[in-house]
Amino acid sequence: MTWRFALVIEPAASDDPRHDFAGTFTVIDASAPALTVGELSTQRGDGVFESIGVVDGHAQEVAAHLERLTHSAALCDLPVPHLEQWRQAVAVAAAACGPGEAVIKLILSRGIEHGPTPTAWVIAAPAADNTSARERGVRVVTLDRGYGIDTPSRAPWLLLGAKTLSYAVNMAAIREAKRRGADDAVFVSSDGFVLEGPTSSVILRRGDVFVTPTPGAGILHGTTQLSLFDELERRGFQTAYEDVPVAALREADAAWLVSSVRLAVPVVAVDGEPLPFDPPFTGSLNAYLLSPRD
Amino acid sequence: MTWRFALVIEPAASDDPRHDFAGTFTVIDASAPALTVGELSTQRGDGVFESIGVVDGHAQEVAAHLERLTHSAALCDLPVPHLEQWRQAVAVAAAACGPGEAVIKLILSRGIEHGPTPTAWVIAAPAADNTSARERGVRVVTLDRGYGIDTPSRAPWLLLGAKTLSYAVNMAAIREAKRRGADDAVFVSSDGFVLEGPTSSVILRRGDVFVTPTPGAGILHGTTQLSLFDELERRGFQTAYEDVPVAALREADAAWLVSSVRLAVPVVAVDGEPLPFDPPFTGSLNAYLLSPRD
């Protein structure tokens, strides 16, 4: 991802330290040095983020992403995001995106160590071409996330419900999947329940019912999954949040990894065993996800 | 921590991509922007680090730290650190430290997304004054790390034996400890064994035997703990690596959190229950740790 656009949100003189910035923002050169070595995002992955899909200059579901950013910030004891400021910053970044698919990333870092304020910035880039993944699907392997399904609610300091910048494990899981000859991973709890992908939510189909693992402390509530569930209900399907045993994924009539930029990607194999997939139906889901959504 | 000194290690034209840099380094202004927004350290905590204690310009145990950096890099599929280059960079940073205690941090990041090379830099700053913690000790709370003690060896993608930049959980654990009226945390496995502190190793004393949890995939092997065990053996004590049930910590004759910069800090309470501590003995350990060590 080569970031083509970047802006930094600046604190205002009047800023209340319980909130992040009500100030202005400054467009910067995305390829030039912008962050100091003291940044806690870089030293400790200490901050939160969101990735927003953009289609032909329209940023998708900004409100849902900002709501999740606020939730992640609260779990990490970061200042409350100043939503109007973020909305304006997203609008400026989206306007810089041009036609086609793009991605906007919002980052709220704890800032410079012992510094007075967090650091906040927004970056944008053209999206990778995800056509092949959407049309031909991905092979996944299940990887143990190490926790029991009930652990996160007992141990909020594990930050499992927050979208933090500490994503080294998520990236390692994708590398492990590739080492095993697959394309992506699905995290499962140590007691055998499906959780989520390293960068996606999991939806599976059982007849005319679409199921996703119950979001909770251990599973990020996916903005794309929420939007797809609305659409599926409009189409007359049933949707459900359940504890999903790994066997249910293997026996599903179909399954998808869904996320804001890659959108709905059919799972065509789980741990080497093929899973049925339905290209026209997946195509219709992605046509919906590519339409302007707020 | 206000970083007073920084250098960036530059790739050489001839660099083999399997190794990091054999090139030169450039001293930069630690307070000026140096990293781009595309840095994966900042976007995903995707990299590894070491913190080295410095006493009167002498960097302590550089070889052990570089060995662990190499180990962490391997677990994260990062290029093999070019040790001679890092040693030179540490020497330059140490020379810039001046008298008293300081800290040098080495960072090896995956670099800019899709970029050709990792990014590597070294920063230095005067250490915080740790006198009070060393003399009066810290109250700790035990916090569930979520994993069973055997999980990490089964799931290397969890990177639990690597010192990665994804430290948001470690920082959240310290905040949780403070919320509970303590000073620091001790992570325990979900099956009730002592693991380590968020930024330290745990050593406990049982009579004349000093015990630390067996380092393995889930516990970082502490450089300071290793050095202290050597010293304790020289003084005629026994040392042991064991699986340490939480009860053994509560019933210990003494316990310490040990790390490269704060050094040996006595644990004076565990979950609100006082633990005996021995200031003169702890003082002798810290006198040793403050002496030049290679």
Side-chain angles (χ1 to χ4, degrees):
Chain A
M1 193 72 67
T2 304
W3 301 99
R4 300 267 177 86
F5 173 88
L7 64 82
V8 174
I9 304 183
E10 312 279 2
S14 61
D15 276 344
D16 177 333
R18 290 166 300 177
H19 293 263
D20 80 347
F21 312 133
T24 54
F25 42 77
T26 307
V27 175
I28 61 165
D29 176 353
S31 64
L35 306 168
T36 74
V37 291
E39 245 302 315
L40 291 172
S41 57
T42 204
Q43 286 190 61
R44 296 183 188 151
D46 199 358
V48 296
F49 77 102
E50 282 295 320
S51 293
I52 299 181
V54 182
V55 182
D56 294 332
H58 181 88
Q60 304 279 44
E61 304 220 87
V62 176
H65 282 287
L66 290 180
E67 191 181 315
R68 195 167 63 182
L69 186 75
T70 302
H71 180 66
S72 295
L75 289 173
C76 293
D77 303 305
L78 284 162
V80 178
H82 190 283
L83 295 188
E84 187 46 36
Q85 175 70 356
W86 285 96
R87 243 188 302 270
Q88 287 173 24
V90 169
V92 170
C97 282
E101 292 179 54
V103 53
I104 290 176
K105 204 160 165 175
L106 318 184
I107 293 171
L108 173 59
S109 149
R110 202 171 301 277
I112 294 174
E113 207 162 355
H114 305 307
T117 59
T119 316
W121 66 97
V122 173
I123 49 185
D129 182 356
N130 289 303
T131 312
S132 165
R134 290 175 195 158
E135 293 181 356
R136 287 192 268 167
V138 290
R139 295 156 299 168
V140 304
V141 290
T142 54
L143 294 181
D144 187 352
R145 187 65 187 80
Y147 305 106
I149 196 166
D150 292 331
T151 302
S153 57
R154 283 191 285 111
W157 51 86
L158 300 177
L159 304 179
L160 288 161
K163 200 167 171 76
T164 78
L165 300 174
S166 286
Y167 250 44
V169 168
N170 304 54
M171 298 298 114
I174 294 171
R175 290 195 301 276
E176 175 70 16
K178 291 188 171 163
R179 251 193 297 272
R180 296 185 185 192
D183 306 298
D184 206 339
V186 167
F187 281 131
V188 300
S189 68
S190 54
D191 41 4
F193 293 94
V194 174
L195 298 172
E196 61 193 348
T199 64
S200 60
S201 311
V202 176
I203 296 178
L204 50 90
R205 180 176 190 165
R206 211 168 48 211
D208 281 346
V209 186
F210 291 78
V211 178
T212 198
T214 311
I219 300 175
L220 219 62
H221 202 164
T223 53
T224 310
Q225 172 265 313
L226 270 171
S227 181
L228 263 184
F229 267 29
D230 285 348
E231 170 67 6
L232 289 163
E233 285 162 21
R234 274 191 294 268
R235 294 190 193 180
F237 293 108
Q238 265 186 278
T239 63
Y241 293 96
E242 292 178 8
D243 289 346
V244 176
V246 179
L249 173 62
R250 299 189 204 287
E251 294 157 10
D253 294 319
W256 295 265
L257 301 184
V258 306
S259 52
S260 298
V261 179
R262 201 172 53 169
L263 306 180
V265 163
V267 174
V268 298
V270 178
D271 296 327
E273 292 299 314
L275 204 67
F277 75 111
D278 178 344
F281 185 75
T282 299
S284 77
L285 297 181
N286 282 318
Y288 162 71
L289 291 171
L290 287 165
S291 67
R293 290 176 295 124
D294 284 311
Chain B
M1 192 74 65
T2 304
W3 301 100
R4 300 266 178 85
F5 173 88
L7 65 82
V8 174
I9 304 183
E10 313 278 2
S14 60
D15 277 345
D16 178 333
R18 290 166 300 178
H19 294 263
D20 80 347
F21 313 131
T24 54
F25 42 76
T26 307
V27 175
I28 61 165
D29 176 353
S31 65
L35 307 168
T36 74
V37 291
E39 247 299 318
L40 291 173
S41 57
T42 203
Q43 286 191 60
R44 297 182 188 152
D46 199 359
V48 296
F49 77 101
E50 283 294 322
S51 293
I52 300 181
V54 182
V55 181
D56 294 333
H58 181 87
Q60 304 277 43
E61 305 221 87
V62 175
H65 283 287
L66 291 180
E67 191 181 313
R68 195 167 62 181
L69 186 76
T70 302
H71 180 66
S72 295
L75 289 173
C76 293
D77 304 305
L78 285 162
V80 179
H82 190 283
L83 295 188
E84 186 47 35
Q85 175 70 358
W86 284 96
R87 244 189 300 271
Q88 287 172 26
V90 169
V92 169
C97 282
E101 293 180 52
V103 54
I104 290 176
K105 203 159 166 176
L106 318 183
I107 292 171
L108 174 59
S109 148
R110 203 170 300 278
I112 293 174
E113 206 161 357
H114 306 304
T117 59
T119 315
W121 65 97
V122 173
I123 49 184
D129 181 356
N130 289 303
T131 312
S132 164
R134 290 174 194 158
E135 293 182 354
R136 287 193 268 168
V138 289
R139 295 156 300 168
V140 304
V141 290
T142 55
L143 293 181
D144 187 351
R145 187 65 186 82
Y147 304 106
I149 196 165
D150 292 330
T151 302
S153 56
R154 284 191 284 114
W157 51 87
L158 300 177
L159 304 178
L160 288 161
K163 200 167 170 78
T164 78
L165 299 175
S166 286
Y167 250 43
V169 168
N170 305 54
M171 297 297 114
I174 294 171
R175 291 195 300 276
E176 175 70 16
K178 292 189 171 162
R179 251 193 296 270
R180 295 186 187 192
D183 305 300
D184 206 339
V186 168
F187 282 131
V188 299
S189 68
S190 54
D191 41 3
F193 292 94
V194 174
L195 298 172
E196 60 192 350
T199 64
S200 60
S201 310
V202 176
I203 297 178
L204 52 90
R205 179 176 190 165
R206 209 169 50 211
D208 281 346
V209 186
F210 291 77
V211 178
T212 198
T214 311
I219 300 175
L220 219 62
H221 203 164
T223 54
T224 309
Q225 172 266 311
L226 270 171
S227 181
L228 264 185
F229 267 29
D230 285 349
E231 170 67 7
L232 289 163
E233 285 162 22
R234 274 192 292 270
R235 294 189 193 181
F237 294 108
Q238 266 186 275
T239 63
Y241 293 96
E242 292 178 9
D243 289 345
V244 177
V246 179
L249 173 62
R250 300 189 204 287
E251 293 156 10
D253 295 321
W256 296 266
L257 301 184
V258 307
S259 52
S260 298
V261 179
R262 202 172 52 170
L263 305 180
V265 163
V267 175
V268 299
V270 179
D271 296 326
E273 292 299 314
L275 205 67
F277 74 112
D278 178 345
F281 185 77
T282 297
S284 78
L285 297 181
N286 281 319
Y288 162 71
L289 291 172
L290 286 165
S291 67
R293 290 175 296 125
D294 284 312

